[in-house]
Amino acid sequence: MNFKVATLVAFASLSLGAFAYARQDKSMDTNPMVGGASMMKSMDIVGNAVNSPDHTTLVAAVKAAGLVDALRAKGPFTVFAPTNAAFKLLPDGTVDTLIKPENKDTLTKILTYHVVAGLYDSKALKAGIKKGNGTFMVKALNGGTLWFMMNGPMNIVVKDEKGGMASISTYDVYQSNGVIQVVDKVLMPN
């Protein structure tokens, strides 16, 4: 192989490698899927939640509590978003009772317990857990406390004020005004 051919082969190999690397980085920018729906980074928390078939109960509760405008604000916010399956784990009739107008204050307290001011993606949560020697404490918008811990090398769990534990099942769903962490249980404040 002469020098020109060897140079062309080397250049082609480097170009293909750079192209593959750029494609890999581009794929990391794609919008994640939640409940079979694409979560668009350009949309706000409410806009994406409305499109998720896994969060219809949460969306109905947010509307009943009158929190739509608050969750469309600039933020950033971190929302620990329980799935429909998480709401089904509550005692029968709980959701129906909570969305009644006379229970708006209780519903608001529970929902704002799932929201934290600031951007807490998995990297920030893990760093807080490491710095806190295994536990990271954060104040929710309702004034309550959430505790974060590792459950194994990769899974982050959230402990609520009642001692309940929820796992984050889908991490780092970035929004235009924050990030959603999907959780498998409803978090309960005192």
Side-chain angles (χ1 to χ4, degrees):
M1 186 181 287
N2 69 31
F3 179 73
K4 283 184 179 181
V5 172
T7 303
L8 283 173
V9 169
F11 179 75
S13 296
L14 285 173
S15 296
L16 285 173
F19 176 74
Y21 180 77
R23 295 274 306 158
Q24 179 184 12
D25 281 357
K26 186 77 172 163
S27 70
M28 292 170 65
D29 278 341
T30 60
N31 298 308
M33 301 291 282
V34 175
S38 184
M39 299 288 106
M40 309 299 280
K41 292 177 188 173
S42 60
M43 294 178 67
D44 63 35
I45 290 167
V46 174
N48 273 319
V50 165
N51 290 329
S52 170
D54 281 353
H55 291 92
T56 56
T57 305
L58 177 62
V59 169
V62 166
K63 288 178 180 177
L67 294 173
V68 171
D69 289 339
L71 290 174
R72 285 204 154 133
K74 184 177 178 182
F77 302 109
T78 301
V79 176
F80 298 93
T83 60
N84 294 341
F87 280 101
K88 286 181 182 176
L89 295 173
L90 295 173
D92 287 344
T94 301
V95 174
D96 292 334
T97 300
L98 285 172
I99 61 173
K100 290 181 179 177
E102 61 268 22
N103 296 319
K104 184 177 178 179
D105 289 344
T106 302
L107 179 61
T108 300
K109 181 179 180 181
I110 292 169
L111 291 176
T112 56
Y113 189 55
H114 289 79
V115 182
V116 175
L119 189 75
Y120 290 94
D121 60 11
S122 60
K123 184 177 178 181
L125 292 171
K126 286 178 182 177
I129 293 167
K130 184 176 181 181
K131 186 177 178 181
N133 293 318
T135 304
F136 181 47
M137 182 178 71
V138 176
K139 287 291 183 186
L141 286 187
N142 77 346
T145 303
L146 296 167
W147 294 268
F148 299 88
M149 295 151 268
M150 297 301 297
N151 180 16
M154 300 299 293
N155 189 41
I156 299 172
V157 294
V158 187
K159 181 179 174 185
D160 65 26
E161 291 178 330
K162 300 271 186 186
M165 300 291 279
S167 290
I168 298 176
S169 58
T170 304
Y171 293 86
D172 302 341
V173 185
Y174 293 101
Q175 318 290 297
S176 65
N177 63 342
V179 64
I180 292 176
Q181 306 288 7
V182 178
V183 292
D184 65 353
K185 303 261 176 31
V186 176
L187 303 168
M188 299 303 285
N190 277 331

